[in-house]
Amino acid sequence: MSPARTTRLRLTAAVAAVLAATTAGLTAPASAAPAAAPVAVTAGQQGVPSVPVGTNVVSSGPTGFLTSRPDGNTRVYTWTRHADGTRTTLPGQRYGASIGTDVIVRIEGTTHTYIDMSTGTELVSFDTATLGGGGYSAARYMGSTLVASKEVNGVRAYHLFSKEQGLVVDREVTGIPAGAHALRADSSGPDTLVVHHSTLTNGVYDDGVSLVDVATGKAFETYGARDTDTRTVSALSATHLAWIEWPGGKPSLAVARRDSKAITRTPLGEGTALSVKFVGDWVVHAQLGGGAASTPNPLYALTARSLSDPQHTVKLLDHAVNFTPTTDGGLLARGGTIEHGEGVYRVSRGEDGTPAATLIASTGETTVLGVKDHEAAPLPTAVDFARGDDARLFWEFDKAADYDVTMTHNASGRRWTDHHVHMDRPGLSGAEWTGMLDDRTSAPVGDYTWKLTAVPANGIGPGVERTGTLKVTAKPAPHDFTNSGTPDLLVKDSAGRIIDYDARQTLYETGHWGVPAQRTTVVLGTGWQIYDRVAAPGNLDASPHADVIARDRSGALWFYSGTGNALAPRKKIGTGWGVYTQLTGPGDLTGDGRADLVATDTTGALWLYSGTGNANAPFTARKKIGTGWGVYNRIAGTGNFAGGAAGDLVARDKDGVLWLYLGKGDGTFAPRIKVGRGWDRYSDLVGVGDVNRDGRPDLVVQGIAGGTNETLAFYEGTGDWRAPVSSRRGVYNPEDLGTGAVTLF
């Protein structure tokens, strides 16, 4: 068996045995790395060992490898030996490493301390605050050499710092083109530094990449490059040099043969930052961080590309967090696949030389999008929108996602949909349904089916679908004709149509937010021009739905029972009603739980008709409850409008003053209370119920012009008899409510 094959097997066994250990080994002092007791292996995904979530492989050397994992606001670094799998948790909060060696570097502020983990020996220490007069920034660790950069007069140069007999030796990198500005330094091992540089000549940038011998500090090979910048990364093998160029801001892979310096360039698509390494006769690249990304990109995949045929590629992982070379010519990569999930993968060549990835330690996480219910935000099973509640449908996403929530009314098929694009991080997210359907009308009561359809925002893996049920409930509302528990506004136009408008849609959800009204029109009937008075007093029969009464010109009174989505055929319930000038329903005025009716006659008397609940005879014999009401040219029942014991009335006198009559609950009213002046600007006053779901009935008004632009408005009820309405809220740019002159009721 070849030494390389032996090393690869030993590395695989060691990683599989110990990477997953969640308990720390012995903490080593700064100058030593004593052996830790072997840690028991815990089972992870698909039978492989487990590794703590967030573990990254930093570097791998001949005798061990360095990993890191998050711990609160810091990271924990661990050194693991290949030979026996013992682990050492390292002191301090930050470490770097010399690629391809056992040398790691403890970073404490500006001090960089090199430790050879094969022996536990502290090698050298550099303080960049005082090094070479200060002002240097650490760039790379190469064996026991520190590569640092410093910018002087706008030009950045690299220096190699080492110690000989305790004295610092400073060697500036030489051999790169004169006047070149160093952009970036890379390494694939301890002996050769790769420096990307750019020279400005006569206004034109000339980019290049040079190989520098760390022992001498001199460049010994230089290649022409194009469109490189600080994002440019590179990889070096015995036969090839690869780097990323950025023509037009898009990544392109450049691969140079070291024997001929011939360069092949392959555009990669769209990207922002890539990493590149070699595995045998393949160059491996990926845009890192795809697992946590919020937009899709094919470059997230860890991809091997043949050096002999750049169009021949092999996908190794669906995404990579990081990857680092091993001393046997392979890679250790932290990433994930749809099939095997998240963890540490070994990338090595197969018998035919083609690279393949093998999961050797699992974090237990899936790479595909996961969605689950959340205990802190349970999914609702029922909601009453009329009461002011909303349905909050939230789920816990383990990755960024785009998702749709659809709510479908089982009986009618009508829907509400909610679309969320680029939830850019995992966590609790979802939709809040306020009870409006897609046409902005109130959702009817009944059974609904919801469906969540989510796709990973990074484009990795399949989508997720969840379904469930929700029941919309509501108590019958006195002005609800569409079975939603929320009020509707009825209109009679000059064409004789009775038109239903969802009051929440028409008055609040559009007009209140300054959005032009897109009202949904439902015609409940035609031929109503035969009636000269129409009222919607509430529910008058045994059904749970609101009803309508209408008086024809002969004085006959007709009853239309509401069905929840229409009006039943009319039924004659009385004659002689021509004596009344006004009819309105104040709600329950007598305290018996049934809707009542009040009327004023030509003499100014106010009459009460108590509701019976019987569709054939919906009212008892009339009872006179007031006189002097001839001073009012408009009265409107409002329900329990101002905090009293029962239904209330508002009345407008001939001077335009509006008065409030609080119902006492015994069929009578308390003395009137002045609301305010200027109400003669309105032709109609209608108490429709609670438009804005604050628990208090509201008042709808229409200007003298009747149903045209800027004449429709409403006043929110306050529930306070001392100031029963808020300021006027105009409905933004409403279209005509009907044909010709219209009457609201």
Side-chain angles (χ1 to χ4, degrees), residues 360-396:
I360 58 176
S362 170
T363 66
E365 303 166 286
T366 62
T367 298
V368 300
L369 174 65
V371 181
K372 66 178 182 179
D373 296 349
H374 195 276
E375 293 181 359
L379 294 170
T381 57
V383 63
D384 184 348
F385 294 116
R387 196 175 60 182
D389 299 336
D390 293 330
R392 303 179 74 248
L393 295 99
F394 278 65
W395 297 269
E396 188 174 1

Side-chain angles (χ1 to χ4, degrees), residues 615-703:
N616 295 316
F619 303 114
T620 62
R622 68 178 187 172
K623 179 181 179 181
K624 190 174 184 179
I625 57 173
T627 58
W629 284 70
V631 300
Y632 301 120
N633 55 26
R634 284 290 184 274
I635 64 171
T638 61
N640 193 341
F641 186 58
D648 306 322
L649 282 177
V650 291
R652 184 188 66 194
D653 65 24
K654 297 173 183 178
D655 295 324
V657 177
L658 189 68
W659 300 88
L660 169 68
Y661 284 85
L662 281 172
K664 296 167 62 176
D666 60 359
T668 64
F669 297 101
R672 69 179 187 174
I673 301 167
K674 187 176 181 180
V675 175
R677 292 184 175 275
W679 290 76
D680 50 354
R681 64 187 291 194
Y682 302 122
S683 61
D684 293 318
L685 307 174
V686 181
V688 295
D690 184 10
V691 172
N692 58 359
R693 300 192 305 150
D694 65 356
R696 297 182 291 268
D698 305 309
L699 186 65
V700 178
V701 296
Q702 180 185 214

Side-chain angles (χ1 to χ4, degrees), residues 476-482 486-490 500-501 503 535-539 546-547 637 686-690 744-745:
H479 233 268
D480 171 25
F481 297 91
T482 53
T486 58
D488 297 306
L489 178 65
L490 296 189
D500 179 285
Y501 292 105
N539 179 23
D547 307 315
V686 181
V688 295
D690 184 10
L744 309 185
F745 65 96

Side-chain angles (χ1 to χ4, degrees), residues 104-192:
I104 66 172
V105 181
R106 185 172 64 247
I107 305 168
E108 298 171 300
T110 59
T111 301
H112 304 256
T113 303
Y114 289 58
I115 303 168
D116 184 350
M117 294 304 292
S118 66
T119 62
T121 304
E122 192 173 290
L123 302 177
V124 292
S125 183
F126 301 99
D127 186 352
T128 56
T130 59
L131 199 63
Y136 283 93
S137 299
R140 292 288 164 186
Y141 307 112
M142 310 283 291
S144 59
T145 299
L146 173 66
V147 181
S149 66
K150 185 176 183 179
E151 188 170 306
V152 179
N153 297 325
V155 176
R156 180 169 296 279
Y158 284 97
H159 287 240
L160 306 177
F161 292 97
S162 59
K163 284 189 177 180
E164 298 178 7
Q165 298 180 350
L167 299 177
V168 174
V169 177
D170 178 1
R171 287 166 293 145
E172 183 175 357
V173 171
T174 60
I176 63 176
H181 178 76
L183 296 173
R184 181 183 173 93
D186 271 326
S187 69
S188 296
D191 302 321
T192 304

